[in-house]
Amino acid sequence: MGEEAEMEVDMLGEIFGERLTIDNTRLGIHLPLDIAPEDPSVFATARLELERPRNYPTVAPTAFVVRSRGLSEADLTSLQSAATRYVQDHAGEPVMFGLINELSERLLAMKLPSEHCAVCMSEWEQGEPASNIFKTTCFHFFHRPCLAAFVHHSQQLPTPTSPFEVPPPPPAPPCCPVCRAELRALPDTHDHLSYDQQAPPEPFTPTPEQVEQQRARQAVYDRQKAIGGLIEAPTFLFVPGVSTIGTDAPQSPPAASLEENERERASRQERDHERERRQEEKNRERQERQREKSRGRGRR
């Protein structure tokens, strides 16, 4: 390995200190990419592993992005592809400093966490302020009010219902809702108030047009109820008692009365009975003919 490569490693050691690890047996070097990991606006971290051939930098090293946190599968694949492409484009020259800068800028460019809040299951909105996002040491992300409410409720003890009841054990230390790791830092204990005491939604006030449409639909429902619940042909698209905004209700009175419907049903039943009677007569005649044929064959 050339003098230029050794100088590059020495400079990296001065910058990263103990965060830089070197494996001389594999000629590997582990470079941290977690730039400002305590910064609440940094939503991802990873480590870069380089396997250097003995004739580096003449021969390009092999780069691997490992031990990532806060990255989705798609983001990790994109970061790995960027590392491989950078090494190939700069073959024949030292690449460690440039590669660290390239991948670190990509991590810092991630303005929002890759995963949704695991408490409310809501996606992050574009332009979400970093002050509203709480990052745990295990690199999971939550809305501050959501995590504060989770911690607040998880620490509540049930109230004994009897003086002889054994008191419950003290609650376990607050943990991450995703991986159950102990939370070393907690959101403000008052943040849960903004979650539990949200302002109630404003009451719905219908417009005059909606009120008029509701009256028309109520009239349709009353007419349908008067004729025994039958749905008239002009109103088959309407659901009784339910307002469907934007559809005009018919204004014409019902064409059939209850008595007419009863007569129609009685007539239909009578026709059905007559049809069944005729079918039974045909069946009896067919059976009689079959018996006559059987007797005729017996005489022969």
Side-chain angles (χ1 to χ4, degrees), residues 1 22-30 49-54 62 64:
M1 192 171 300
I22 300 176
D23 184 359
N24 291 320
T25 59
R26 295 178 53 211
L27 295 178
I29 182 169
H30 302 270
E49 180 178 318
L50 284 175
E51 289 190 357
R52 302 168 297 168
R54 294 188 181 276
T62 305
F64 302 96

Side-chain angles (χ1 to χ4, degrees), residues 72-261:
S72 64
E73 289 294 333
D75 292 335
L76 181 58
T77 301
S78 175
L79 205 64
Q80 178 64 60
S81 300
T84 303
R85 186 167 53 252
Y86 186 92
V87 169
Q88 294 173 350
D89 293 344
H90 295 79
E93 59 184 80
V95 297
M96 295 185 189
F97 278 105
L99 185 56
I100 292 175
N101 291 334
E102 172 73 16
L103 300 186
S104 297
E105 289 179 0
R106 288 178 175 268
L107 291 177
L108 291 173
M110 298 178 182
K111 301 300 183 182
L112 290 174
S114 58
E115 301 293 338
H116 54 67
C117 173
V119 175
C120 67
M121 306 302 290
S122 299
E123 299 290 343
W124 303 102
E125 299 180 359
Q126 290 296 330
E128 184 99 30
S131 59
N132 193 38
I133 303 175
F134 188 88
K135 178 177 69 174
T136 65
T137 54
C138 49
F139 267 77
H140 293 123
F141 305 91
F142 310 91
H143 294 107
R144 282 185 173 273
C146 293
L147 184 59
F150 172 84
V151 173
H152 174 74
H153 290 298
S154 67
Q155 299 300 297
Q156 300 300 306
L157 294 176
T159 303
T161 57
S162 169
F164 305 102
E165 184 177 348
V166 178
C175 62
C176 172
V178 177
C179 66
R180 302 304 177 187
E182 184 176 347
L183 295 176
R184 301 178 186 175
L186 297 175
D188 192 331
T189 55
H190 296 289
D191 282 344
H192 76 277
L193 297 178
S194 61
Y195 182 92
D196 293 337
Q197 300 179 359
Q198 295 179 356
E202 296 182 1
F204 172 72
T205 304
T207 64
E209 180 182 6
Q210 293 171 340
V211 172
E212 184 60 31
Q213 290 174 343
Q214 178 61 29
R215 288 201 189 106
R217 282 153 182 76
Q218 186 64 38
V220 173
Y221 172 73
D222 293 339
R223 289 197 297 272
Q224 292 171 350
K225 187 176 180 181
I227 61 175
L230 297 178
I231 300 179
E232 306 170 58
T235 64
F236 70 97
L237 292 178
F238 296 94
V239 179
V242 178
S243 173
T244 307
I245 305 302
T247 310
D248 295 330
Q251 303 298 327
S252 58
S257 64
L258 183 60
E259 292 80 4
E260 292 174 346
N261 288 328

